[in-house]
């Protein structure tokens, strides 16, 4: 998918929906790039973080980790699960891109 830059808030936003892929698991190689553009240098490291969660579409979600302001990550993604982001503060700018083969 194309590179997307958007503002997110304190409500979860799904950036990768596993149900949209017909080829998942180990059959489709994919990577997810996420960057938190927050630059609030006066706050502690995780005051403007973005929480990354993995979900199977049910009501349970696992916290993969927190991405501090200015940090980026590339994650392997097997398209079996949803990936969603939640910011600590409203209007946090994030950038993401899903890179996959099919």
């Amino acid at each position: 998918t194309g590179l997307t830059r958007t503002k997110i808030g304190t409500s979860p936003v799904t950036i990768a929906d596993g149900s949209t892929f017909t080829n998942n698991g180990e059959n489709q190689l994919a990577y997810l790039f996420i960057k938190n553009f927050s630059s609030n240098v006066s706050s502690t490291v995780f005051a403007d973080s973005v929480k990354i969660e993995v979900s199977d579409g049910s009501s349970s979600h696992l916290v993969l980790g927190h991405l501090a302001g200015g940090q980026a990550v590339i994650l392997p993604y097997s398209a079996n699960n949803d990936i969603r982001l939640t910011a600590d503060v409203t209007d946090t700018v994030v950038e993401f891109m899903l890179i996959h083969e099919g």
Side-chain angles (χ1 to χ4, degrees), residues 78-94:
S78 65
N80 285 338
N81 302 300
D82 299 341
I83 304 290
R84 66 186 204 174
L85 306 177
T86 307
D88 287 341
V89 295
T90 304
D91 293 336
T92 299
V93 177
V94 296

